[in-house]
Amino acid sequence: MDACKWNGEATYLIPLGTYMIYGANFNGPCKGSLIVKIQGVIKASTNPKIFCKDSWISFEHLNNLEIEGGGTLDGQGASAWRNPQCATRPYTIGLSSIQNAIVHDIHAINSKMFHFDVYNCNNVTISHVNIIAPSDSPNTDGIHISTSSNIRVFDSNIGTGDDCISIFAGSQNVNISGVTCGPGHGISIGSLGNKPNEVVKDVHVKNCTLIATQNGMRIKTWASSNVGEATSNSFEDIIMDKVNNPIIIDQHYCPSHTCFFQKSLVQIKDVTFNNIRGTSNSLVAVNFNCSSSLPCQKINLNDIKLITDNNAKPTIASCANAIGQATGIELPPSCLKPVLESST
């Protein structure tokens, strides 16, 4: 790629128009910084002989990358979502081993898998992106973050068939704000525990709105898991609008319903839910289903006000093996086990 050979700031331009791209890989290192300006509409192939791979458009081993332009990436995912010919479906954009990147003002629709996959990256900012896929499109996470540090996502609209944002093992210092999520499965940490020593820490979600999502703020670990940890994470100033499970910790996660249930060995601790308000589609608005082997520790609730739609029935909280405290407004009333009661 000639743009990568330029010892300065190079721009790779996709102008206005509609283009079919079977696949593209921008593999560094480059001599200088790279701007990818997408102004047109890029469509992916619908031929499984072409698209059965990990990513459609990938960026690897780059420093100082910017992706912008106001254009649209159309993954044409309906051709793959229920196609048994593909063992692997591609992400729309894969960022791998990237240092210092900015992604902004991009539309991504109907990805075959994750819309954005951020893996082994440091110092990446994603803002003012619009991500859209049908509510029944499988595994179409908006932004999937794993093994990455210092990631920021803000001022974006995401509606998909899976997590709007998922934060996976090995990630730390992730800040999310100003995101509107829905439809989808909410904003999730995990699932953790599939492999030994999976850790997520210092994730902070603030000033977000969730609309008609399956979950709100969620931490999940596998029903039978290896040792791991989720610690020092916070969710604050969140609006829920007809969300099924507004606040949920699930340490018995098993979407296939075929798991051999054992005690989770992932320790969840130092989690804060502050100023969470709005409507719940389920009576159980707060659900802490923690491990009996390693109970959730230092769960902090402050000013929680979650009601059913039209306030027809009072919401309730459900707790199993959850230790912490509640302050301020408690709606529903907290069921956390006080710290003093755990000293046995």
Side-chain angles (χ1 to χ4, degrees):
M1 181 179 65
D2 289 341
C4 200
K5 298 175 183 178
W6 180 254
N7 189 14
E9 184 179 271
T11 299
Y12 190 94
L13 174 66
I14 295 107
L16 292 172
T18 301
Y19 309 91
M20 175 75 72
I21 294 181
Y22 290 158
N25 177 258
F26 296 83
N27 198 347
C30 292
K31 289 185 175 180
S33 59
L34 176 65
I35 298 174
V36 178
K37 188 182 290 288
I38 303 170
Q39 296 177 335
V41 176
I42 303 176
K43 290 181 177 287
S45 173
T46 59
N47 183 349
K49 293 181 179 179
I50 295 172
F51 68 65
C52 291
K53 53 187 177 181
D54 286 335
S55 61
W56 172 34
I57 300 172
S58 63
F59 298 86
E60 303 177 53
H61 307 290
L62 295 170
N63 188 8
N64 294 320
L65 169 69
E66 182 176 359
I67 305 171
E68 49 101 356
T72 299
L73 301 167
D74 184 356
Q76 301 207 90
S79 60
W81 292 330
R82 290 165 183 84
N83 190 329
Q85 297 181 55
C86 266
T88 302
R89 289 182 281 130
Y91 319 133
T92 289
I93 284 189
L95 302 177
S96 177
S97 301
I98 304 294
Q99 294 279 337
N100 308 312
I102 300 173
V103 180
H104 64 96
D105 297 291
I106 291 291
H107 306 274
I109 63 173
N110 298 328
S111 182
K112 294 180 175 71
M113 190 73 172
F114 308 151
H115 287 78
F116 289 87
D117 182 63
V118 180
Y119 170 72
N120 194 33
C121 295
N122 179 56
N123 194 27
V124 175
T125 298
I126 300 173
S127 69
H128 300 95
V129 298
N130 292 298
I131 300 173
I132 301 172
S135 60
D136 62 348
S137 55
N139 302 116
T140 53
D141 296 43
I143 301 171
H144 180 75
I145 302 164
S146 62
T147 320
S148 296
S149 302
N150 305 309
I151 309 298
R152 294 164 294 280
V153 181
F154 64 90
D155 296 346
S156 296
N157 296 302
I158 305 173
T160 71
D162 211 295
D163 294 324
C164 291
I165 302 174
S166 52
I167 303 103
F168 203 65
S171 296
Q172 61 180 333
N173 295 325
V174 177
N175 288 276
I176 300 165
S177 65
V179 170
T180 298
C181 168
H185 294 183
I187 297 175
S188 296
I189 294 174
S191 48
L192 301 176
N194 187 44
K195 296 178 180 179
N197 303 312
E198 293 186 336
V199 176
V200 170
K201 62 181 180 180
D202 293 315
V203 173
H204 306 289
V205 182
K206 188 173 183 178
N207 292 327
C208 294
T209 299
L210 291 92
I211 303 171
T213 51
Q214 187 181 101
N215 305 286
M217 305 290 110
R218 175 170 62 159
I219 301 175
K220 54 181 176 173
T221 73
W222 287 101
S224 177
S225 74
N226 291 284
V227 172
E229 187 176 67
T231 184
S232 301
N233 302 304
S234 67
F235 308 89
E236 61 179 316
D237 301 329
I238 308 296
I239 296 175
M240 306 285 183
D241 184 359
K242 298 179 182 177
V243 171
N244 277 348
N245 300 291
I247 296 174
I248 180 169
I249 295 176
D250 183 5
Q251 294 209 257
H252 300 87
Y253 179 69
C254 181
S256 67
H257 306 291
T258 59
C259 300
F260 177 66
F261 285 89
Q262 293 181 331
K263 298 174 183 178
S264 175
L265 298 179
V266 176
Q267 176 69 76
I268 296 175
K269 65 180 181 181
D270 292 318
V271 184
T272 296
F273 298 92
N274 177 48
N275 192 27
I276 314 293
R277 60 201 184 278
T279 55
S280 172
N281 266 358
S282 52
L283 288 178
V284 180
V286 176
N287 188 356
F288 296 139
N289 187 9
C290 299
S291 170
S292 59
S293 178
L294 290 171
C296 297
Q297 302 280 350
K298 297 183 181 179
I299 307 299
N300 300 296
L301 298 175
N302 181 63
D303 288 341
I304 308 299
K305 187 176 181 180
L306 294 167
I307 62 174
T308 55
D309 194 28
N310 297 320
N311 207 15
K313 293 182 179 180
T315 54
I316 61 174
S318 174
C319 294
N321 310 302
I323 299 168
Q325 66 177 354
T327 56
I329 299 170
E330 293 185 41
L331 190 61
S334 171
C335 58
L336 288 169
K337 186 177 182 181
V339 176
L340 291 177
E341 295 183 18
S342 66
S343 58
T344 56

